[in-house]
Amino acid sequence: GKGGSYIIMEYLPLGGRSDQKALGRAVAKMHLAEPNCKEAKEGKFGFPVPNTIGGTPQPNEWDDDWVRFFREQRIGHQVKLAGDRQMQDTWKKVCEKTDGLNTLFEGVTVMPSTLHGDLWSGNIASADGQPTIYDPATYFGHHEAEWGMSWCAGFGGSFWEGYRELIPEDAGFKKRRALYELYHKLNHYNLFGSGYYGDSVSLMESLLR
C-alpha cells in the first residue's frame, strides 16, 4: 500500500481515576526502575527513536548530559519551532543567566528514568482497579520532567504523599518545575496558538529572577 505507521496497543478496560496515593507510588516505582534500554542503563538520556508530543515532533538523540539534552532537544527545539523573536531573545537571556541551565541543577544528580512524558488527566485512569497511564510521549530523562504537565493533571495531596514516600523532593525543584512546565506550554503554543504565549514568556521570565 502507501506505507505509513501504526501502533498496536494492549486493550485496557479503563474506568475512572484510581486511588491517588497508589498512583503516586506507581509512578515513583516507574521512575526508580532500571531502564530497559542499553543506552539509558549507561546513563544516557533520550530514546531509540524520535517520537511526538501531541502532534509535535520530539527529537530524542542520545546524550549523556541531561542539561544539554533538555536545553537543546526540548526547550531549544520548541523555541525554534515557535519562530518568535521575543521568545528567542528571552530564552537566550535565560541561558546566559543560568550558564546554559546548569545553575538550576547545582547539587542535583540526574539519572535516566523511564518517563511517560505527557502525564495529564486525559492520560490517567484505572484498569481493573489498578492505576493506569497510557498514550505516552516516552523517553528516558530526569524524573522531575514528568511534572511539566501537572498544571492540568489534577494531582492532589495524596498523590504527592504516595510519590514522595519513595522519591523525596530535591532542592531547587520548584524552579526546575517552571522549566519543565515551559516545555509543555511552548508545545501548546506551537500546537494551539496564542492562548499559551503569555504563559510561555512568563515562565521564561520567572527563570531570570
Side-chain angles (χ1 to χ4, degrees), residues 104-208:
L104 300 178
F105 292 85
E106 289 177 349
V108 176
T109 300
V110 181
M111 300 297 291
S113 292
T114 302
L115 302 180
H116 177 282
D118 192 17
L119 197 58
W120 67 288
S121 60
N123 294 339
I124 302 170
S126 64
D128 296 324
Q130 298 299 312
T132 303
I133 58 178
Y134 50 92
D135 193 18
T138 194
Y139 65 102
F140 298 99
H142 187 200
H143 67 272
E144 291 179 354
E146 197 75 275
W147 314 123
M149 281 292 289
S150 59
W151 49 279
C152 58
F155 297 135
S158 59
F159 172 87
W160 287 110
E161 181 183 354
Y163 187 84
R164 293 299 183 203
E165 284 179 355
L166 298 179
I167 302 181
E169 182 177 318
D170 285 329
F173 167 66
K174 289 180 175 61
K175 197 152 194 176
R176 290 190 298 274
R177 189 171 184 173
L179 175 70
Y180 292 137
E181 181 178 331
L182 173 61
Y183 175 61
H184 291 276
K185 287 290 177 67
L186 284 168
N187 184 53
H188 275 60
Y189 171 72
N190 285 324
L191 287 172
F192 306 120
S194 60
Y196 294 93
Y197 185 88
D199 281 354
S200 297
V201 173
S202 293
L203 285 166
M204 288 188 195
E205 291 174 343
S206 77
L207 295 170
L208 292 171

Side-chain angles (χ1 to χ4, degrees), residues 5-20:
S5 302
Y6 59 90
I7 182 171
I8 298 174
M9 300 176 68
E10 176 188 4
Y11 171 76
L12 296 171
L14 298 177
R17 293 292 286 266
S18 63
D19 176 83
Q20 287 289 288

Side-chain angles (χ1 to χ4, degrees), residues 19-155:
D19 176 83
Q20 287 289 288
K21 186 172 183 179
L23 174 64
R25 289 181 62 84
V27 174
K29 288 178 180 178
M30 180 181 74
H31 289 167
L32 291 170
E34 182 181 22
N36 63 358
C37 184
K38 173 179 176 291
E39 290 84 353
K41 288 181 180 179
E42 294 172 348
K44 295 180 180 179
F45 305 94
F47 201 62
V49 295
N51 53 19
T52 59
I53 176 70
T56 308
Q58 181 168 260
N60 288 310
E61 292 186 16
W62 293 110
D63 196 325
D64 59 8
D65 184 325
W66 168 250
V67 175
R68 181 173 59 208
F69 174 90
F70 200 80
R71 183 182 66 237
E72 298 180 1
Q73 297 193 56
R74 291 295 180 262
I75 306 294
H77 171 66
Q78 293 283 353
V79 169
K80 183 177 181 180
L81 290 176
D84 180 82
R85 177 57 65 87
Q86 182 183 358
M87 281 187 179
Q88 292 170 348
D89 290 347
T90 307
W91 177 238
K92 182 179 179 181
K93 291 177 183 177
V94 170
C95 290
E96 290 172 348
K97 182 175 177 60
T98 61
D99 185 25
L101 304 184
N102 281 287
T103 60
L104 300 178
F105 292 85
E106 289 177 349
V108 176
T109 300
V110 181
M111 300 297 291
S113 292
T114 302
L115 302 180
H116 177 282
D118 192 17
L119 197 58
W120 67 288
S121 60
N123 294 339
I124 302 170
S126 64
D128 296 324
Q130 298 299 312
T132 303
I133 58 178
Y134 50 92
D135 193 18
T138 194
Y139 65 102
F140 298 99
H142 187 200
H143 67 272
E144 291 179 354
E146 197 75 275
W147 314 123
M149 281 292 289
S150 59
W151 49 279
C152 58
F155 297 135

